[in-house]
Amino acid sequence: MSTRRKPGPSHWARIVTRLCLALAALNLLGALAGGLARFGWQVLPAPLAAQVLQEHGALLMAGFFASLISLERALALHRGTWLPLMSGLAGLLAMAGFAAWAAWAWLLSSIGLCGLYLWAARTRALSLPLAVEASGAAALVWAALAYALGNLEQARWAWSLFLLLTIVGERRELMRLRPLPAWASQLFLFAWALLALAAVLLMGPRAHWGAQLGWLLFGLLALWLLAFDLARLQWRQSGWAGHTARCLMVGYGWLLAASAAGLGGQGGVGGVAWHLMWLGFVFAMVFAHVPIMLPVLLGLRPLHSAWALLPLGLMALSLLLRTFAVLTHRSDWLVWAGAGHGLALVSFALIVALLCKAEAQRLTLALQKPRSR
């Protein structure tokens, strides 16, 4: 009989984590290819290119972002790893032409994420940040249902609320380290309540009023974060702490810009408001947190370098170019703006990989030094 020990739970957790991250990465690549296809940059075979072009928004929001957030929640609570697996696999189904099956799979995984938050509230502690994040998960359910029913306008709003509430809830949790003025806490609650009102209006005949209220509240929350987030006290620090703070502050600026664009009539299909939010605000959050989350998710530690801010700058330049192209009706410039978005994402992946390799080499040399004496 074999005496070989079976791998422990941590081993399988690492395998599942890597599989979830691989699926999320495939969804991101599909979304990127679909976005480039809109501007004539066809990087995939024609049938697949047409499919990712049609589904690129869903791949980005439900296949990539929802998968990553579900994975982070599942690892933190030590349960529910099937959620990011299902969300990531649903994206592959969408790319393969089974969009209807993907939509219902995304709905099931979003309901499961709500269940995770309910479990956390019941077994751990109910708090305001947890409730805010749970409301974001409820918005994800709304997004999946709207997408399944073909209401893409509602889906865009619901996905945006999911991301915004998740991010704001996490930042609100960290603000417990520094007491807020009473009026600031009340303003936060007021904005959160009005977001629920905006969601209700968006689902009814007063959708225009809901959209205007939504964009207004996005701007209010951006100003609130710029004024009270801990990042404003940390952006001059060295190392990854300063990197994270700088990315966060830039991201809040993009959220404010998205609000202004939405209120200015750029919140429809083809407007720049959604891209300022998704590519500017949300990806600034990704650039901020990946160096911190990599040790937790994969055991990889990147060496800090100022080069890690380069993708943030590339994304900013390409978003400014996109905004100018849309406002001046220069469709030829949109092509280069889209290429700039892709370059920012690809460069971030390459830079982080190189920094992880550099840190591993540094640690190896540090361990070898005492032996050579």
Side-chain angles (χ1 to χ4, degrees), residues 210-222:
Q212 291 298 103
L213 180 59
W215 288 121
L216 180 63
L217 291 171
F218 285 5
L220 177 61
L221 284 171

Side-chain angles (χ1 to χ4, degrees), residues 249-274:
M249 296 300 284
V250 169
Y252 301 154
W254 283 123
L255 180 60
L256 186 60
S259 169
L263 291 172
Q266 289 295 317
V269 177
V272 296
W274 296 113

Side-chain angles (χ1 to χ4, degrees), residues 176-249:
R176 292 182 172 186
L177 302 175
R178 183 182 175 86
L180 291 173
W183 67 269
S185 298
Q186 293 168 359
L187 181 60
F188 179 86
L189 289 172
F190 180 69
W192 182 36
L194 285 182
L195 278 176
L197 174 60
V200 171
L201 291 173
L202 283 162
M203 289 186 281
R206 303 284 185 179
H208 173 72
W209 293 106
Q212 291 298 103
L213 180 59
W215 288 121
L216 180 63
L217 291 171
F218 285 5
L220 177 61
L221 284 171
L223 291 172
W224 191 89
L225 289 165
L226 285 167
F228 299 110
D229 194 283
L230 291 174
R232 67 189 179 88
L233 305 176
Q234 300 171 330
W235 67 278
R236 291 185 178 180
Q237 291 185 8
S238 59
W240 288 122
H243 167 90
T244 297
R246 287 186 281 273
C247 289
L248 289 173
M249 296 300 284

Side-chain angles (χ1 to χ4, degrees), residues 8-365:
S10 60
H11 174 75
W12 289 112
R14 287 194 295 271
I15 291 176
V16 171
T17 298
R18 290 170 182 171
L19 179 57
C20 290
L21 290 173
L23 289 171
L26 287 174
N27 277 271
L28 177 59
L29 290 174
L32 178 58
L36 291 175
R38 293 183 63 187
F39 303 123
W41 297 75
Q42 189 164 316
V43 295
L44 295 173
L48 183 56
Q51 196 61 36
V52 297
L53 171 61
Q54 183 177 348
E55 306 294 341
H56 86 281
L59 293 174
L60 178 63
M61 306 304 287
F64 178 66
F65 287 129
S67 294
L68 289 185
I69 292 171
S70 298
L71 177 61
E72 190 273 333
R73 288 292 85 197
L75 292 178
L77 298 174
H78 306 290
R79 62 188 60 239
T81 49
W82 65 271
L83 299 174
L85 279 174
M86 176 171 285
S87 186
L89 288 171
L92 299 189
L93 284 175
M95 285 188 272
F98 300 98
W101 287 97
W104 296 111
W106 278 324
L107 178 60
L108 183 58
S109 64
S110 63
I111 293 172
L113 181 59
C114 285
L116 274 187
Y117 282 112
L118 290 174
W119 182 87
R122 183 173 60 86
T123 60
R124 299 195 175 185
L126 179 60
S127 63
L128 173 62
L130 181 66
V132 172
E133 291 180 49
S135 67
L140 184 62
V141 175
W142 173 29
L145 185 59
Y147 177 77
L149 297 177
N151 193 327
L152 298 184
E153 179 66 19
Q154 283 192 22
R156 276 193 295 271
W157 272 104
W159 278 324
S160 299
L161 287 173
F162 160 62
L163 293 173
L164 178 67
L165 290 167
T166 300
I167 292 167
V168 168
E170 291 180 348
R171 299 310 300 175
R172 186 67 180 85
E173 175 72 27
L174 292 176
M175 288 178 201
R176 292 182 172 186
L177 302 175
R178 183 182 175 86
L180 291 173
W183 67 269
S185 298
Q186 293 168 359
L187 181 60
F188 179 86
L189 289 172
F190 180 69
W192 182 36
L194 285 182
L195 278 176
L197 174 60
V200 171
L201 291 173
L202 283 162
M203 289 186 281
R206 303 284 185 179
H208 173 72
W209 293 106
Q212 291 298 103
L213 180 59
W215 288 121
L216 180 63
L217 291 171
F218 285 5
L220 177 61
L221 284 171
L223 291 172
W224 191 89
L225 289 165
L226 285 167
F228 299 110
D229 194 283
L230 291 174
R232 67 189 179 88
L233 305 176
Q234 300 171 330
W235 67 278
R236 291 185 178 180
Q237 291 185 8
S238 59
W240 288 122
H243 167 90
T244 297
R246 287 186 281 273
C247 289
L248 289 173
M249 296 300 284
V250 169
Y252 301 154
W254 283 123
L255 180 60
L256 186 60
S259 169
L263 291 172
Q266 289 295 317
V269 177
V272 296
W274 296 113
H275 293 90
L276 292 176
M277 180 171 183
W278 294 355
L279 296 178
F281 169 59
V282 180
F283 268 106
M285 304 299 108
V286 174
F287 296 160
H289 289 103
V290 163
I292 298 173
M293 293 304 298
L294 274 178
V296 178
L297 296 175
L298 294 174
L300 300 175
R301 296 183 179 276
L303 181 72
H304 175 260
S305 170
W307 284 103
L309 288 173
L310 176 63
L312 188 70
L314 290 174
M315 185 65 81
L317 290 174
S318 61
L319 280 172
L320 290 174
L321 178 60
R322 186 188 192 112
T323 302
F324 186 77
V326 169
L327 295 179
T328 58
H329 306 288
R330 293 292 302 270
S331 58
D332 52 329
W333 288 10
L334 283 174
V335 176
W336 297 107
H341 302 337
L343 180 61
L345 299 180
V346 171
S347 67
F348 180 71
L350 290 175
I351 288 172
V352 170
L354 290 173
L355 292 177
C356 286
K357 182 179 180 181
E359 177 66 5
Q361 292 174 340
R362 187 189 69 81
L363 290 175
T364 300
L365 291 174

